[in-house]
Amino acid sequence: MDPRLREVLEAQVKRMLQDPKAVSLVQDFGGQWLQFRALESHTVERKAFQHFTEYTKLSMQWETEKFIDYIIREDRSVLDFVQADYSFLNQRMAEYYGIKGVEGWEFRKVTLPPESKRRGVVTHASVLTVSSYANRTSPVLRGKYILENILNSAPPPPPGDVPSLEDKEIGASKTMREMLESHRAQPVCASCHVRMDPLGFGLENFDAVGQW
């Protein structure tokens, strides 16, 4: 491409991204890609997660929206989506993540402390919540989420005759890890679960609503 034409096109793109209307790129494209719009209809077991309020749910979504908006408008590296050492927090989300020194409802860019377990959008509470069930985490859902939305390597749909895990058995007769090991022992399941499960188990210290 002619360098002068490239310069003109880059300037036009920057002007478009600075337009207030560009927020729809964050809410529509970002919300569909990272699925945080699913928070609106996502429910959790209130007895188990009493701290998960409607304000918490909204704050989760706003954090991710502002994070994406910053990367786009500031033309940041796409790698920030997976390794950024910052996020956009208000007091509620800072407390949720155990980060001190953030007060008030307003969101602002916060550099995450070195000991923080949060890096990139995969550890946002919004993503961790929509990739969980109402009452528990799911290494399978989270692993599938990463393959589909981050690595663009979606696994095929599961065979229709494969039974799902029974919630009542988890922690009773077997641990989640043991149950998935049995699942992977079935040849028809192994090819997908051998990719999904390790990714999902890497996030197992985060609970069903994204707290460490």
Side-chain angles (χ1 to χ4, degrees):
M1 180 183 293
D2 185 289
R4 290 173 296 179
L5 177 58
R6 179 186 294 274
E7 185 177 343
V8 170
L9 290 175
E10 288 180 349
Q12 289 178 338
V13 170
K14 287 181 179 179
R15 283 197 296 272
M16 290 171 64
L17 292 177
Q18 293 303 317
D19 191 295
K21 295 179 181 178
V23 70
S24 63
L25 179 63
V26 173
Q27 295 174 339
D28 296 335
F29 166 72
Q32 182 175 352
W33 168 39
L34 295 174
Q35 300 179 12
F36 57 78
R37 288 191 300 187
L39 278 171
E40 296 175 9
S41 57
H42 188 81
T43 58
V44 302
E45 192 174 278
R46 291 293 184 178
K47 289 184 179 180
F49 305 104
Q50 296 181 12
H51 54 287
F52 187 82
T53 64
E54 287 300 313
Y55 180 53
T56 302
K57 184 190 293 190
L58 285 172
S59 294
M60 288 178 177
Q61 181 167 335
W62 290 336
E63 175 197 5
T64 305
E65 286 183 355
K66 292 182 180 300
F67 179 81
I68 298 171
D69 184 72
Y70 175 79
I71 290 177
I72 292 174
R73 292 184 188 276
E74 298 298 321
D75 196 23
R76 299 283 299 182
S77 168
V78 70
L79 295 179
D80 279 15
F81 280 108
V82 293
Q83 65 184 24
D85 63 350
Y86 63 86
S87 193
F88 287 78
L89 310 177
N90 61 356
Q91 182 174 343
R92 177 59 185 134
M93 290 312 300
E95 291 174 348
Y96 206 75
Y97 291 166
I99 296 173
K100 299 179 180 179
V102 179
E103 298 181 356
W105 62 269
E106 187 176 3
F107 282 79
R108 78 289 317 254
K109 184 183 178 186
V110 176
T111 299
L112 302 172
E115 68 275 12
S116 174
K117 307 301 182 183
R118 312 278 170 176
R119 286 293 184 276
V121 76
V122 172
T123 60
H124 280 201
S126 61
V127 168
L128 293 165
T129 300
V130 298
S131 58
S132 297
Y133 290 116
N135 61 337
R136 65 171 175 86
T137 60
S138 171
V140 176
L141 288 183
R142 287 178 174 174
K144 180 174 180 288
Y145 179 98
I146 293 173
L147 286 174
E148 285 184 339
N149 300 294
I150 305 300
L151 300 179
N152 191 30
S153 182
D161 58 346
V162 175
S164 58
L165 300 179
E166 292 291 339
D167 278 3
K168 61 184 178 181
E169 293 183 13
I170 298 173
S173 58
K174 292 182 179 180
T175 66
M176 171 69 77
R177 190 177 294 273
E178 288 171 339
M179 292 186 71
L180 286 174
E181 284 175 358
S182 299
H183 211 57
R184 288 196 301 273
Q186 303 178 50
V188 71
C189 303
S191 61
C192 292
H193 280 273
V194 74
R195 298 168 60 217
M196 291 189 296
D197 296 358
L199 295 171
F201 274 116
L203 298 171
E204 268 296 272
N205 272 323
F206 295 102
D207 69 14
V209 291
Q211 285 199 298
W212 180 262

